[in-house]
Amino acid sequence: MPNASPKHDVFQAIADPTRRSLLQLLVDRELPVTVISGHFPMSRTAVSKHLRILSEAGLVKERKVGRETRYRLDPEPLMELKRWLAFYERYWENKVQALKRFVESGEGNSEAGYSGPKPVERDADS
């Protein structure tokens, strides 16, 4: 039975800034590669390679219209990323709240006894 998993996962696909820009370009519209490549300072072949990676990750869908292939965003695979980030968001929120309490308590300012970083002692030979 063939393996149904994509060649590239969502995390790999969006790791590249060009591919993230491609996704933004395709948010509200379906475009052919000729139009898409006009938005980037690279060859149509290079844009096509990026689109292939996004397609293999399931992030863009292709549709043939005559001789041209049009691409559109499929946001569903981004839900995997959203779920993963949501898990860690609680840690970020806890850290931000702890920092806020620390700063508001006055423990983080010089009036509460903080005198800044201690100087590094150097040998006389240095």
Side-chain angles (χ1 to χ4, degrees):
M1 181 153 87
N3 186 358
S5 65
K7 288 184 179 181
H8 294 91
D9 71 10
V10 174
F11 298 96
Q12 289 173 324
I14 66 167
D16 184 88
T18 299
R19 291 193 287 270
R20 291 193 301 268
S21 295
L22 281 165
L23 291 175
Q24 287 180 319
L25 183 64
L26 297 171
V27 164
D28 295 323
R29 56 193 164 187
E30 180 180 81
L31 296 171
V33 71
T34 53
V35 173
I36 295 169
S37 61
H39 289 85
F40 297 91
M42 62 182 71
S43 69
R44 189 181 320 173
T45 303
V47 170
S48 292
K49 287 180 182 180
H50 284 293
L51 287 167
R52 184 177 26 94
I53 290 169
L54 291 170
S55 179
E56 289 171 355
L59 290 166
V60 297
K61 297 293 182 198
E62 302 173 10
R63 182 172 73 99
K64 282 285 199 188
V65 178
R67 294 187 318 161
E68 95 184 341
T69 303
R70 295 186 181 177
Y71 296 87
R72 64 181 168 81
L73 172 69
D74 181 2
E76 183 60 32
L78 292 172
M79 293 305 294
E80 174 189 356
L81 177 63
K82 183 179 180 185
R83 285 188 294 273
W84 185 82
L85 288 171
F87 176 79
Y88 292 99
E89 188 174 358
R90 65 183 171 172
Y91 297 109
W92 298 330
E93 186 61 29
N94 288 342
K95 295 294 183 188
V96 169
Q97 290 300 323
L99 177 61
K100 181 180 178 189
R101 285 191 303 273
F102 177 75
V103 170
E104 289 175 350
S105 73
E107 294 177 35
N109 62 34
S110 60
E111 295 165 8
Y114 177 71
S115 60
K118 293 187 173 37
V120 176
E121 293 184 27
R122 299 182 186 258
D123 293 336
D125 297 335
S126 301

